[in-house]
Amino acid sequence: MLLGIAFLLATAVSLAAETDVKTGLVLAPGLEVVSTQCTVCHSARLISQNRADREGWLEMIRWMQKTQGLWPLGDNEDLVLDYLAANYGPVAKGRRARLRDEFLPPR
């Protein structure tokens, strides 16, 4: 049993995305552009603590352009959106499944 748990933990660690030492962002195509465009105004932590689909990231970019002075991203916009949606997309969260009756205490 302990061997099984150790295997699962090792597998989970190996599946975790590698991150850039400097920014802490996921190492993937588009990282350099995202780092260059985004961390001029805010820390990379602001990116990594958020989750959104492509449309959600686009809304955040438009908000920053409208209210925070973010410049037009031009040809880099699709690359930025692809990177953010792929690496910082929504994560399914929720409660665990209900226990089956046979595992509940008697009523």
Side-chain angles (χ1 to χ4, degrees):
M1 173 133 166
L2 287 177
L3 186 58
I5 292 171
F7 175 76
L8 288 175
L9 288 174
T11 303
V13 169
S14 68
L15 292 176
E18 291 185 60
T19 56
D20 178 54
V21 176
K22 182 179 174 188
T23 64
L25 296 174
V26 174
L27 288 172
L31 169 63
E32 192 171 318
V33 172
V34 168
S35 180
T36 301
Q37 296 290 323
C38 302
T39 62
V40 170
C41 297
H42 57 75
S43 77
R45 182 77 178 129
L46 191 60
I47 297 167
S48 62
Q49 72 186 13
N50 284 288
R51 297 279 175 176
D53 59 16
R54 187 179 174 86
E55 292 77 28
W57 284 111
L58 181 59
E59 287 177 20
M60 285 185 249
I61 288 170
R62 294 295 181 254
W63 176 82
M64 287 183 274
Q65 288 172 330
K66 182 177 179 182
T67 65
Q68 306 299 307
L70 175 62
W71 51 88
L73 299 178
D75 293 339
N76 288 323
E77 186 169 275
D78 281 336
L79 186 59
V80 168
L81 289 169
D82 290 344
Y83 174 87
L84 293 172
N87 298 291
Y88 298 97
V91 176
K93 287 187 179 180
R95 298 180 57 114
R96 64 168 170 73
R98 184 182 178 281
L99 292 175
R100 295 190 315 245
D101 289 337
E102 63 262 27
F103 294 118
L104 294 174
R107 295 183 192 190

